[in-house]
Amino acid sequence: MTYTNPVIPGFYPDPSICRVDDDYYLVTSTFAYFPGVPIFHSKDLVNWRQIGHCLTTERQLPLANTWLSGGIYAPTIRYSDGWFYMVTTNVSGIGNFYVRSKQPTGPWSDPVLVAQGGIDPSLLFDEDGRVYFQSNCKGNEGYGIYQCEIDISTGSMLTESRLLWKGTGGAHPEAPHLYKINGLYYLMIAEGGTEYGHMVTIARSGDPYGPFEPCPANPILSHRSLNSSIHATGHADLVQAHDGSWWAVFLGIRPVSYPYRHHLGRETFLAPVTWTSDGWPIIGDGGRVESLMEAPQLTEVRWPPKAIRDDFDETIPGSDWVFLRNPAPDSWSLRECPGHLVLRGNKTSLDDTGAPAFVGRRLSHMSCNIAALLNFEPVNDGEEAGLTVYMNEKYHYDLAVKCKEGRKAIVLRRTVGSLRTERTLDCAEGNVVLKIEARPESFGFAIQQEGSHVLELGSGETHLLSTEVAGGFTGILIAMYAVCETGQASPALFDWFDYEPRD
């Protein structure tokens, strides 16, 4: 039996995993999107379903005016003595902290701060009750992986930070995870930066503070310079399955053109781990992985497939939906007009680093059909609502209804850095179906009004919204949005939203 990588497609980077009996839980980074840190559940390591978020309040996750690739970096999830712990960094706020919960679905605690600096924190709960905290930072011995012991009830540092390892010489030694396996401490990290030189390396010691001996087969995972559909593999976490086998989750990318460019973001991959005769782990086939791989020998548990259509019949958003930073309370509602998502635009536009009226989901497939039914009758110039293909505030494609010179109009706008193009057409009163067809190398945009044929408006290249062009650490989101330059917004009513994968 086989499975297909990535096991969680779309912008779900920096995965971390833990096992509780025969259940597996996984978290990923979210940067300036809210709520923060999605948590997934699986019974077989291949089929995953999202069961919530770890950071669901502004008290846990303040994101005001945060750079899109700021916010939450690289969470780690661990389980000890009946508690789940999720440790991470808000690089735009309080730094390193953790939250905890008795249930993976929450509620999760308020943040508990840890004074050790840096990013990519992790925890090891040792057998003697000690708790070790690792992060990558610049300390008194230079840049590398540092560790201290903490009081897990308060987050207080019980020891000074000490350097563990600087890696094998690759740039940006980061993403540390310390494990105790068969009496030895294994320190696994990422090197090379989260780009095409990414790799995973490992070292071990008989003492949690080292000295650490590097694995002679390092890197134990890397796709550097390979002719592969998968690149930038790294930032891994290990788990032993309940049948005794070992596995790794890690991030990777899937470029769709040459020169290499990727727009879905960094995704979550899975690969088996084998152990050498002298006790070293190797990920995949000699450090390489494939899109199609042999599945774990665990009983398969599939979750119900996601519905294509969200009719907005619930009073809280489904777990796929996220906001851009902390949303203004009056910018959205699922109660104001039952069966609709109501957005009320504010002065913050998609070009700003504030909190626009914005409800989005990750683009998780190279090919898919997206559509939304919008009821919006703007009355003042500067009012606008529609769909956006959003990478960041400088790179996005928008298909919207707006008021222009006192008339209702359709606009297709493409913003690529300092360049912007717009096509504007008059629009009749009444509902408008906004349509986006995602293909590996382009997006097609169209509209349809009642009694009319589908009207094709134009297209935009995927590579112009890629990480290689737009920069940053995120991937594309498809979002419903609204803007009002005057602040006196007409309501934009979204009756439904469709997301239909085709790959």
Side-chain angles (χ1 to χ4, degrees):
M1 192 170 177
T2 60
Y3 69 93
T4 300
N5 268 317
V7 290
I8 306 179
F11 157 51
Y12 293 103
D14 309 323
S16 175
I17 191 171
C18 74
R19 175 174 71 89
V20 181
D21 299 323
D22 59 354
D23 291 286
Y24 301 86
Y25 301 96
L26 183 149
V27 293
T28 68
S29 298
T30 44
F31 301 95
Y33 289 107
F34 181 88
V37 186
I39 181 164
F40 296 86
H41 173 229
S42 179
K43 302 287 284 187
D44 59 13
L45 292 172
V46 171
N47 297 287
W48 294 90
R49 60 171 179 173
Q50 189 176 344
I51 57 174
H53 289 86
C54 297
L55 305 175
T56 58
T57 69
E58 190 169 352
R59 180 182 176 91
Q60 293 170 317
L61 183 54
L63 291 169
N65 301 314
T66 295
W67 177 50
L68 185 61
S69 289
I72 292 298
Y73 279 22
T76 295
I77 187 168
R78 295 293 183 256
Y79 179 81
S80 177
D81 196 25
W83 287 91
F84 290 89
Y85 295 85
M86 189 284 295
V87 58
T88 187
T89 315
N90 185 343
V91 301
S92 307
I94 60 175
N96 288 323
F97 70 95
Y98 57 88
V99 292
R100 55 190 169 195
S101 175
K102 283 285 190 180
Q103 300 295 329
T105 51
W108 293 77
S109 71
D110 284 342
V112 180
L113 276 62
V114 179
Q116 179 166 298
I119 60 171
D120 298 3
S122 189
L123 294 169
L124 172 65
F125 293 85
D126 211 343
E127 297 154 351
D128 60 4
R130 296 186 177 189
V131 182
Y132 297 101
F133 177 94
Q134 307 84 35
S135 66
N136 73 306
C137 58
K138 185 175 182 180
N140 55 9
E141 295 184 67
Y143 191 75
I145 308 302
Y146 284 77
Q147 177 173 274
C148 66
E149 185 183 339
I150 66 169
D151 180 342
I152 197 61
S153 64
T154 66
S156 299
M157 293 174 58
L158 302 178
T159 66
E160 294 294 319
S161 298
R162 290 172 54 183
L163 176 69
L164 298 186
W165 192 36
K166 292 188 175 183
T168 63
H172 308 298
E174 57 192 5
H177 292 305
L178 187 67
Y179 313 91
K180 192 172 187 181
I181 303 170
N182 296 329
L184 293 175
Y185 295 89
Y186 287 82
L187 177 60
M188 188 169 70
I189 71 170
E191 298 185 52
T194 184
E195 47 199 38
Y196 290 91
H198 215 191
M199 57 181 169
V200 175
T201 58
I202 197 165
R204 69 185 179 192
S205 173
D207 185 279
Y209 285 100
F212 282 88
E213 167 201 2
C215 173
N218 278 328
I220 62 171
L221 171 67
S222 185
H223 273 216
R224 294 175 299 172
S225 302
L226 292 188
N227 182 14
S228 173
S229 62
I230 301 167
H231 285 272
T233 53
H235 204 116
D237 198 7
L238 300 177
V239 67
Q240 186 175 24
H242 56 278
D243 68 350
S245 61
W246 284 84
W247 295 82
V249 294
F250 53 95
L251 67 80
I253 62 173
R254 292 182 291 162
V256 297
S257 59
Y258 187 83
Y260 288 143
R261 289 168 293 205
H262 69 288
H263 60 280
L264 296 188
R266 298 167 299 157
E267 307 175 282
T268 291
F269 289 72
L270 173 77
V273 174
T274 55
W275 291 81
T276 65
S277 58
D278 53 351
W280 291 106
I282 305 293
I283 299 173
D285 182 7
R288 302 178 181 184
V289 300
E290 302 293 340
S291 297
L292 197 65
M293 302 192 72
E294 285 294 319
Q297 299 299 305
L298 306 175
T299 301
E300 185 180 34
V301 178
R302 292 176 177 257
W303 309 114
K306 291 183 179 180
I308 291 172
R309 174 163 294 182
D310 191 333
D311 278 311
F312 303 120
D313 290 333
E314 304 297 327
T315 56
I316 58 173
S319 59
D320 279 344
W321 297 110
V322 294
F323 302 93
L324 182 51
R325 305 179 184 89
N326 305 119
D330 59 353
S331 66
W332 70 280
S333 176
L334 287 167
R335 299 175 183 269
E336 180 178 336
C337 183
H340 296 78
L341 171 66
V342 179
L343 296 183
R344 290 185 180 272
N346 54 48
K347 294 182 180 181
T348 303
S349 77
L350 298 176
D351 303 328
D352 301 323
T353 55
F358 176 109
V359 179
R361 59 150 295 157
R362 292 160 176 85
L363 180 66
S364 296
H365 299 83
M366 298 289 184
S367 300
C368 61
N369 293 323
I370 298 153
L373 177 58
L374 173 62
N375 181 351
F376 181 53
E377 302 296 337
V379 296
N380 297 308
D381 283 9
E383 290 189 83
E384 178 177 309
L387 296 179
T388 181
V389 182
Y390 186 85
M391 184 54 136
N392 59 43
E393 65 273 8
K394 295 182 179 180
Y395 293 84
H396 51 91
Y397 300 150
D398 315 320
L399 177 63
V401 174
K402 67 180 296 184
C403 185
K404 182 177 181 180
E405 298 175 352
R407 299 195 308 273
K408 184 178 179 182
I410 292 288
V411 60
L412 172 60
R413 180 187 305 111
R414 288 161 290 201
T415 301
V416 180
S418 62
L419 304 177
R420 171 167 286 177
T421 65
E422 285 192 4
R423 181 186 181 191
T424 305
L425 301 172
D426 286 341
C427 179
E429 290 186 358
N431 295 339
V432 181
V433 177
L434 306 172
K435 297 175 176 283
I436 301 174
E437 181 185 359
R439 300 176 289 264
E441 297 196 1
S442 67
F443 297 102
F445 299 92
I447 64 162
Q448 185 172 20
Q449 292 196 267
E450 190 172 350
S452 300
H453 296 295
V454 174
L455 177 62
E456 306 281 348
L457 294 180
S459 63
E461 300 91 337
T462 59
H463 79 260
L464 294 179
L465 303 187
S466 68
T467 296
E468 289 81 353
V469 174
F473 299 134
T474 62
I476 284 177
L477 268 71
I478 307 294
M480 296 162 285
Y481 77 97
V483 177
C484 180
E485 294 176 1
T486 66
Q488 304 295 318
S490 304
L493 280 65
F494 291 88
D495 193 343
W496 47 258
F497 180 99
D498 286 356
Y499 183 96
E500 183 179 11
R502 292 189 292 109
D503 58 9

